[in-house]
Amino acid sequence: MTGPQASTAVKPEAFRRFNSQAVRLMADIDADPWGSVGASVYETARVISLAPELAGHDVRLGWLLNQQLPDGTWGEGSARYRLLPTLSAVEALLGTIVRDETATVPGQSGLASAAADGLAALRTLPADGPWPDTAAVEVLVPSLVAQINGLLDQPVIGTLPHLGPLSRGARLSVPPGFLPERHEEIAQRCRTGVPGKLHHTFEGIARHLPGTAVPVPDGLLGSSPAATAAWLASQPDGAQGEQARAALAAAARRYGGLFPEAAPIRVFERLWVAAALARPGLPPVCRATAGAWAHDVYDPAGVRGAPGLLPDADDTAMAVLVAALTGTSGAPAPLDAFWADTHYRCYIGEDTGSVTANAHALQALTEHLRLRPAARSVHHPRMDLVRDWLLEQQTDGAWTDKWHASPYYATERCVRALLGHAGPGTRRATRAAVDWVLAGQHDDGTWGIWGGTAEETAYAVKILLLAAPASSIQPSWRTALQRAENALDDWDTRHQPPALWHDKTLYAPTAMIQAEILAARELLTRRGPGRPTEGMIS
């Protein structure tokens, strides 16, 4: 490639490459009932602590030690994101020492040294927020701080060279912005029953609810290994206990003895992958598969992102969207349950709203009306309200969201939704988003909040391509897109992508990220005078 115009010619070999890669990716997903996602330090450490009898314990312990960063913390992202995984890892190591004073694999001294480094690192992490808006962080952080302080009081800790001085010193404090007793307050409210929205993070309150009845489904409690292990620790006997052990063992087999943030994620994964690949145009062989995925998960009561989770507007909207993109309209009526006057709640009982869930809902309704234009009068009033709500959430050209650390994800979703249902303010908001994107490109042609990533570069590229027809893309945009294309050409699919998605901590849904990057590369290939950058289904 020699300049900004290098990509204006059609590249048949690139079309074939996208088709073959899309077919292969969707086939791999279709064959995997679990979903492609990296292991979680937080979840794996919780299983080490709460279910040490589970096969593979030593493997998990060794892996946990190897994940410690040079500064003593665990986890990915900025320092505030590393608070919770570091607390989880330290508690697991201290708990192992207290539980087995003769531990030799990987060695008590190694455990104590790593725990001491982790404790020291915790005292140097930022002392205040804003803290990431991750799942139940306000409960999980004070719960783990209390557990760590309780373990530091155990006699064996005081006998170890690395930990002895720490056991005699000041205890950990709950960071400002967290309420020290929050986990106990929530547990108190759950003594007569634990609501479904707390199943996924049950480990944060489980030790205060011994014997409380929590129905365990045929799988992981709330799709969470940590929650399931916490339930098992308090109620280990009986048929349900065996069922919980079997569910944990099955997840461990799929993920090499380790545990992800949630499992299985096949519903979430399939919908997001299908929607991403449909934008440049799904190969015909994939069209039936994507339509079948949407049909299989569609539920008149709302779609659940994973077994054991509550129905949510995000997954429900994506099911409607993918059905429409594949030409098999699914009625958007299930979204009605989530309506909250001006926008959609992500789930019933939600504390903070989600711009990406609302962007997906607006996209879904827009695409549905392409197939069912007679329903325009039914849906347009609500679509106008969602559009206006999204516009109100924009700050300095960008949007942020509770389901992803990067504003590039949220901004791409919102720009796409607003351009599909334009109105007062959308042109100004889109231009502000473009200016924000152009200002944020790194010297190597990538975009990213903590350094450039292929995933975030893909979102930035799609914002620029969405914002203007290919025939009127401005020269500065073309230069930025060419630099991005060069950077994405160097993307190596063999590497595990950085974790940017929010659950309890950061995680990386690998197949979903691959789909976003593949789509962006294909859209870049198709750009040029008179040639559309996005299509429906080919």
Side-chain angles (χ1 to χ4, degrees):
M1 300 179 191
T2 58
Q5 299 297 321
S7 292
T8 59
V10 179
K11 304 175 184 177
E13 74 282 0
F15 286 105
R16 291 192 292 270
R17 180 184 65 183
F18 170 75
N19 284 355
S20 64
Q21 290 175 329
V23 168
R24 184 166 59 250
L25 179 60
M26 289 187 66
D28 289 345
I29 292 168
D30 205 39
D32 182 6
W34 289 91
S36 178
V37 62
S40 163
V41 165
Y42 171 82
E43 295 283 324
T44 301
R46 292 299 82 226
V47 175
I48 288 171
S49 177
L50 296 163
E53 74 283 359
L54 195 69
H57 176 75
D58 288 345
V59 170
R60 286 186 282 278
L61 203 52
W63 177 85
L64 185 64
L65 290 175
N66 288 334
Q67 298 306 303
Q68 190 170 28
L69 299 174
D71 67 358
T73 64
W74 280 264
E76 295 191 58
S78 64
R80 289 178 177 85
Y81 279 97
R82 299 198 300 274
L83 171 64
L84 187 59
T86 301
L87 287 169
S88 185
V90 168
E91 194 282 336
L93 296 178
L94 293 175
T96 299
I97 293 170
V98 169
R99 184 172 52 250
D100 185 359
E101 298 183 21
T102 62
T104 57
V105 181
Q108 191 185 67
S109 177
L111 299 182
S113 176
D117 289 345
L119 284 166
L122 285 168
R123 300 181 192 280
T124 64
L125 286 176
D128 56 9
W131 301 102
D133 188 12
T134 49
V137 66
E138 73 280 5
V139 173
L140 300 176
V141 165
S143 176
L144 283 169
V145 168
Q147 292 177 67
I148 288 171
N149 287 337
L151 288 166
L152 289 173
D153 290 336
Q154 297 299 310
V156 65
I157 299 298
T159 67
L160 298 173
H162 296 288
L163 290 170
L166 294 173
S167 74
R168 294 184 289 273
R171 295 295 180 254
L172 284 181
S173 298
V174 173
F178 294 95
L179 300 176
E181 311 301 328
R182 183 62 172 167
H183 55 299
E184 296 181 16
E185 294 173 5
I186 297 296
Q188 183 65 35
R189 300 177 195 171
C190 298
R191 296 200 180 279
T192 57
V194 180
K197 79 170 192 173
L198 296 181
H199 287 185
H200 184 61
T201 55
F202 180 64
E203 70 274 12
I205 57 176
R207 68 194 185 99
H208 301 293
L209 298 170
T212 299
V214 180
V216 177
D218 185 16
L220 300 173
L221 177 63
S223 289
S224 167
T228 306
W231 181 92
L232 187 60
S234 63
Q235 305 181 58
D237 300 324
Q240 282 200 320
E242 289 305 313
Q243 183 174 296
R245 286 189 188 85
L248 285 169
R253 285 192 297 272
R254 167 59 180 84
Y255 297 104
L258 309 175
F259 294 95
E261 290 278 314
I265 63 165
R266 62 177 179 270
V267 170
F268 173 44
E269 177 181 77
R270 292 176 181 193
L271 293 174
W272 265 249
V273 166
L277 296 180
R279 295 306 183 179
L282 277 171
V285 70
C286 295
R287 180 175 182 174
T289 299
W293 286 351
H295 178 270
D296 290 346
V297 305
Y298 183 86
D299 188 332
V303 177
R304 301 170 189 267
L309 298 182
L310 295 175
D312 68 87
D314 209 4
D315 288 280
T316 301
M318 289 296 281
V320 174
L321 174 61
V322 172
L325 288 171
T326 54
T328 56
S329 178
L335 284 170
D336 292 347
F338 305 101
W339 184 246
D341 298 328
T342 59
H343 64 286
Y344 291 98
R345 294 169 294 186
C346 199
Y347 56 88
I348 306 302
E350 180 181 50
D351 294 323
T352 55
S354 165
V355 298
T356 59
N358 279 273
H360 291 150
L362 187 54
Q363 290 177 47
L365 292 169
T366 300
E367 296 299 335
H368 175 76
L369 291 182
R370 294 186 196 279
L371 299 179
R372 302 287 188 272
R376 177 186 175 95
S377 61
V378 175
H379 298 298
H380 258 231
R382 189 171 287 182
M383 293 169 69
D384 289 345
L385 289 170
V386 172
R387 178 196 62 212
D388 294 344
W389 184 83
L390 288 174
L391 289 170
E392 291 171 0
Q393 312 310 310
Q394 189 180 29
T395 302
D396 297 328
W399 283 266
T400 58
D401 192 60
K402 67 180 181 179
W403 298 122
H404 203 287
S406 175
Y408 291 101
Y409 171 74
T411 301
E412 189 271 338
R413 273 9 189 206
C414 290
V415 167
R416 184 183 298 280
L418 293 171
L419 289 175
H421 187 70
T426 55
R427 182 186 296 270
R428 183 173 61 255
T430 300
R431 181 67 228 193
V434 167
D435 290 343
W436 173 77
V437 167
L438 291 174
Q441 190 171 31
H442 297 305
D443 291 343
D444 63 357
T446 64
W447 282 268
I449 53 169
W450 299 315
T453 69
E455 179 188 357
E456 292 168 282
T457 300
Y459 299 136
V461 161
K462 284 187 271 190
I463 292 168
L464 296 179
L465 293 176
L466 280 164
S471 58
S472 63
I473 292 180
Q474 298 179 19
S476 61
W477 300 19
R478 290 187 181 279
T479 301
L481 288 168
Q482 183 60 58
R483 294 171 62 211
E485 185 170 17
N486 293 339
L488 288 177
D489 280 344
D490 294 332
W491 168 55
D492 190 341
T493 60
R494 295 170 297 178
H495 294 162
Q496 175 68 25
L500 293 167
W501 294 70
H502 281 185
D503 193 339
K504 301 171 196 176
T505 59
L506 294 174
Y507 72 104
T510 311
M512 291 160 54
I513 295 169
Q514 290 175 346
E516 295 288 353
I517 299 167
L518 288 176
R521 290 174 63 174
E522 179 64 3
L523 293 170
L524 282 167
T525 297
R526 296 186 185 188
R527 80 188 191 278
R531 180 168 298 278
T533 56
E534 292 209 13
M536 295 294 290
I537 305 298
S538 61

